[in-house]
């Protein structure tokens, strides 16, 4: 895995668009890994695609339009009209998947962020945390999700598959945030 980008990423209200990544790697995003602070940035009209091929050595999968995983504070970061598609077409490639509209796995906080991007996941017997803003995080505040999330697959009800409009799993707390996106999970 690549070393994380470390430092400040100040977007100054700019938009990054047309980011299109199709990969068999275990981490997808503008940055695979990011440590620091990001603020005032929008990512729009972009795609992240993962379709499983042959089994690999990775236990975890991370995907988000800003970063697959981050130890960071996100302030005023937005994911607009993007598409994240994860298809685990063979059984048990990964142990756990973390999918988010902005960051897949966030060790830090998100404040005043929004997502209107779509997330579609087809899971095959794995654990997952899937959310509009982040897949998994500690603290989220003042954030809005209007993006739709669709999850299908095998063993959804027997595995730990957490899906939410704001976060699939939030450890500390989520305050003053709302979801208006459609969340659906269908499978056996």
């Amino acid at each position: 895995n690549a070393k994380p980008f470390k430092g400040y990423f100040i977007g100054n209200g700019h938009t990054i668009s047309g980011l299109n990544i199709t990969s068999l790697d275990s981490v997808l995003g503008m940055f695979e890994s990011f440590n620091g602070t990001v603020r005032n940035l929008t990512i729009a009209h972009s795609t992240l695609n993962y379709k499983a091929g042959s089994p690999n050595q990775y236990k975890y999968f991370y995907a988000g339009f800003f970063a697959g995983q981050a130890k960071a504070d996100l302030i005023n970061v937005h994911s607009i009209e993007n598409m994240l598609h994860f298809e685990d077409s063979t059984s048990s490639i990964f142990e756990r998947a973390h999918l988010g509209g902005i960051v897949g796995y966030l060790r830090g906080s998100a404040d005043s962020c929004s997502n209107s991007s779509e997330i579609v996941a087809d899971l095959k017997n794995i654990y997952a945390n899937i959310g509009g803003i982040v897949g998994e995080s500690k603290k989220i505040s003042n954030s809005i999700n209007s993006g739709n999330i669709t999850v299908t697959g095998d063993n959804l009800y027997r595995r730990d598959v957490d899906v939410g409009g704001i976060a699939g799993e939030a450890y500390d707390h989520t305050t003053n945030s709302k979801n208006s996106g459609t969340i659906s999970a269908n499978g056996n």
Side-chain angles (χ1 to χ4, degrees):
N1 286 341
K3 290 186 177 187
F5 176 93
K6 294 181 181 180
Y8 292 92
F9 192 100
I10 309 302
N12 288 329
H14 291 284
T15 298
I16 295 171
S17 63
L19 178 68
N20 296 301
I21 300 172
T22 298
S23 178
L24 294 177
D25 288 340
S26 64
V27 185
L28 297 182
M30 186 170 77
F31 294 100
E32 287 186 359
S33 184
F34 179 89
N35 292 353
T37 300
V38 58
R39 63 174 61 227
N40 303 327
L41 178 69
T42 298
I43 299 174
H45 310 290
S46 298
T47 59
L48 297 178
N49 288 299
Y50 174 87
K51 183 175 181 179
S54 59
N56 58 48
Q57 72 273 21
Y58 304 112
K59 289 177 68 173
Y60 302 103
F61 179 85
Y62 307 97
F65 284 95
F66 180 73
Q69 58 184 336
K71 185 176 182 180
D73 293 315
L74 310 175
I75 305 159
N76 198 32
V77 179
H78 310 283
S79 177
I80 297 176
E81 297 179 9
N82 298 311
M83 175 63 176
L84 191 162
H85 184 253
F86 174 85
E87 184 179 344
D88 184 18
S89 62
T90 58
S91 183
S92 301
I93 295 276
F94 297 104
E95 183 177 306
R96 181 176 295 274
H98 302 270
L99 312 175
I102 298 173
V103 173
Y105 180 68
L106 176 64
R107 290 169 294 177
S109 65
D111 182 46
S112 301
C113 296
S114 70
N115 175 61
S116 65
S117 300
E118 184 175 2
I119 298 172
V120 175
D122 183 19
L123 307 175
K124 303 291 185 200
N125 203 32
I126 64 172
Y127 300 99
N129 293 317
I130 304 169
I133 305 295
V134 296
E136 184 175 342
S137 183
K138 290 180 84 176
K139 182 180 178 183
I140 304 166
S141 57
N142 307 309
S143 295
I144 298 170
N145 177 63
S146 60
N148 297 330
I149 300 172
T150 304
V151 180
T152 58
D154 299 334
N155 295 319
L156 294 183
Y157 303 107
R158 291 178 287 236
R159 295 296 233 169
D160 181 12
V161 176
D162 299 317
V163 182
I166 302 298
E169 188 165 347
Y171 289 109
D172 195 350
H173 60 275
T174 301
T175 58
N176 198 33
S177 297
K178 73 176 189 173
N179 173 61
S180 62
T182 300
I183 311 299
S184 65
N186 297 301
N188 57 27

